[in-house]
Amino acid sequence: MKAAYKKKYLKIIFSDNRKYFILFFLLSSLSLLYGSVITILRSRRSRYKYKSKKPVLSVGNITWGGTGKTPLAIELGNYIKSAGFKLGVIHHGGAAGDEVALLKQNIPGARVLQSTSKLAALIELERDSEIDIILIDDGYQNWNIERDLNILCLNFRKPFGNGFLIPRGSLRERCSAISRADIIMVNKVRNQESFIYTSNIKRYNSHAPLVFTKYKIKELYDVFNQTQLCMQDIFRIRASFITAVADAEYVKTILVNMNIDIKDGFIYPDHHLFREEDLVSIKNNIAEDVKAIFITEKDYVKIKDNLEFVKDVFNDKLLILFKIGLEYLDNEKALFGRLDILLDSLSS
């Protein structure tokens, strides 16, 4: 799906405009079909689950993107590495490869496999005698793989998407699928009213602990000058941002919370590969008084190989890369306590 069409499609399905009534009716009919197919597939694939000889943990979601599962996978991967264990990571075979690049860059020493078949990748990693434990990024819908720890990520603002299955909505499975989670991460919390979702989530899963998190800035980097920046360097700077992530509004929220004066944003669909014409178009439409352009690490990996061109286009601006991590607001011990139990089993 071309970027412009995908962007418009997502905007439509999350709207409640009555002028789309006929389209919504058709999409809802397709969602019913999709739901039936998913039910059949899950039933068949769950019948014979593959049990790995090595511990397996999975990080996943029930909606299209924007739940923070890859930053969590990175955090868990480095925790496992710091405990002295060798890690294998499995990711789906996405065309953009931005998340795979992030995993490789941010979990040094981990063996990262990108494959359309997570089961095949799991079997391959099992054969690697140096690997102690396997992490599946985006593995919640792999019903044919037994997990030792199954972690579900939900977006604080849209924990259940728009309430509809694909293609009428963004749900990959019905909300009842939440019952399979061992731990539920509610990420991108925007205020302290975290517990308003507790009762809704607990309706589907009463046994899994809820862990609440939000993003925090770990590092600021001046890309063109190759220097580290501090918060004082960018305080109230007039800026724009470029992003192609699932939850672009949260990117803006992070920047605004850093006391940056955001003039505008150039938002593309999740995993969009930036072309040279995209960058030229941004340059032609960016406000003249903008001094800096902010970009996420996930977006940066898609332009870094063409940095000379990017520098020529934005030669009068700062290009600032901001790296994010997770800040735990509640119940952090529930997550790492369960992980420690899994790691202790490797030591015994």
Side-chain angles (χ1 to χ4, degrees):
M1 187 183 294
K2 289 187 177 181
Y5 294 128
K6 185 175 181 180
K7 185 176 180 180
K8 187 174 182 179
Y9 165 71
L10 291 173
K11 185 177 180 179
I12 289 172
I13 66 171
F14 275 93
S15 78
D16 55 3
N17 195 320
R18 292 186 178 182
K19 73 178 184 180
Y20 298 122
F21 172 78
I22 295 175
L23 176 61
F24 287 163
F25 176 78
L26 294 173
L27 291 177
S28 296
S29 299
L30 292 174
S31 292
L32 288 173
L33 177 61
Y34 171 86
S36 299
V37 172
I38 286 294
T39 300
I40 294 169
L41 287 176
R42 185 174 63 243
S43 176
R44 288 181 177 178
R45 292 177 183 176
S46 300
R47 209 173 297 166
Y48 306 104
K49 289 186 179 180
Y50 182 80
K51 175 63 178 173
S52 174
K53 301 178 182 68
K54 297 181 179 182
V56 174
L57 65 149
S58 167
V59 174
N61 54 27
I62 59 167
T63 58
W64 273 348
T67 59
K69 60 182 177 52
T70 298
L72 176 61
I74 290 169
E75 180 121 344
L76 296 178
N78 282 304
Y79 185 85
I80 291 167
K81 180 186 170 186
S82 68
F85 298 100
K86 296 291 185 180
L87 177 70
V89 182
I90 300 169
H91 190 79
H92 62 76
D98 46 4
E99 290 173 347
V100 172
L102 276 182
L103 291 166
K104 289 180 178 179
Q105 285 179 193
N106 288 284
I107 318 176
R111 184 181 173 191
V112 181
L113 287 186
Q114 182 180 14
S115 174
T116 53
S117 171
K118 293 193 180 74
L119 180 56
L122 176 63
I123 293 170
E124 181 176 344
L125 288 176
E126 270 189 320
R127 297 189 184 116
D128 189 334
S129 59
E130 294 187 356
I131 289 176
D132 301 306
I133 186 169
I134 298 167
L135 188 156
I136 305 175
D137 183 14
D138 194 15
Y140 205 73
Q141 282 73 44
N142 290 103
W143 306 296
N144 58 342
I145 296 174
E146 192 76 48
R147 265 67 62 89
D148 296 277
L149 186 58
N150 202 23
I151 303 171
L152 173 66
C153 295
L154 300 177
N155 186 314
F156 173 79
R157 191 161 59 95
K158 300 173 183 175
F160 314 120
N162 63 353
F164 295 96
L165 288 169
I166 295 169
R168 170 63 182 88
S170 58
L171 280 172
R172 300 163 77 175
E173 294 186 76
R174 292 185 176 90
C175 292
S176 57
I178 293 172
S179 64
R180 301 199 307 270
D182 298 314
I183 294 174
I184 298 171
M185 304 286 298
V186 183
N187 192 23
K188 302 185 180 180
V189 173
R190 295 172 185 243
N191 52 53
Q192 297 305 312
E193 298 173 357
S194 309
F195 297 97
I196 62 174
Y197 290 111
T198 300
S199 59
N200 287 338
I201 295 170
K202 288 294 185 182
R203 280 194 305 151
Y204 301 107
N205 187 326
S206 59
H207 67 271
L210 301 182
V211 183
F212 293 91
T213 66
K214 67 177 182 179
Y215 283 161
K216 64 179 179 180
I217 301 296
K218 292 196 305 182
E219 184 180 329
L220 293 165
Y221 185 73
D222 182 338
V223 174
F224 296 151
N225 295 311
Q226 299 184 11
T227 56
Q228 297 287 125
L229 297 173
C230 60
M231 296 298 292
Q232 290 84 348
D233 295 325
I234 49 92
F235 183 72
R236 296 199 182 282
I237 194 170
R238 179 60 64 90
S240 185
F241 66 95
I242 303 171
T243 192
V245 299
D247 192 356
E249 280 302 310
Y250 193 70
V251 172
K252 183 178 180 179
T253 298
I254 293 172
L255 297 174
V256 169
N257 288 343
M258 291 166 59
N259 290 308
I260 296 166
D261 182 8
I262 296 298
K263 180 73 174 180
D264 48 23
F266 297 89
I267 298 170
Y268 293 80
D270 196 16
H271 303 299
H272 176 71
L273 289 170
F274 294 109
R275 302 163 298 175
E276 291 185 352
E277 50 262 47
D278 293 326
L279 301 172
V280 171
S281 175
I282 292 168
K283 171 63 176 179
N284 292 336
N285 289 282
I286 203 166
E288 289 185 9
D289 58 344
V290 163
K291 304 298 182 185
I293 300 169
F294 284 81
I295 190 166
T296 70
E297 191 176 10
K298 182 177 175 181
D299 297 308
Y300 175 69
V301 298
K302 293 179 286 190
I303 66 166
K304 68 175 185 177
D305 292 335
N306 198 18
L307 212 51
E308 284 302 315
F309 179 82
V310 178
K311 191 172 184 179
D312 286 341
V313 173
F314 300 112
N315 53 39
D316 60 337
K317 315 286 183 189
L318 284 171
L319 181 65
I320 301 174
L321 164 67
F322 66 102
K323 297 184 178 182
I324 58 170
L326 292 178
E327 179 181 342
Y328 292 87
L329 303 175
D330 187 67
N331 222 6
E332 177 182 0
K333 290 182 179 179
L335 171 64
F336 290 101
R338 287 293 301 272
L339 186 54
D340 284 338
I341 292 172
L342 191 59
L343 295 179
D344 287 344
S345 68
L346 288 170
S347 304
S348 58

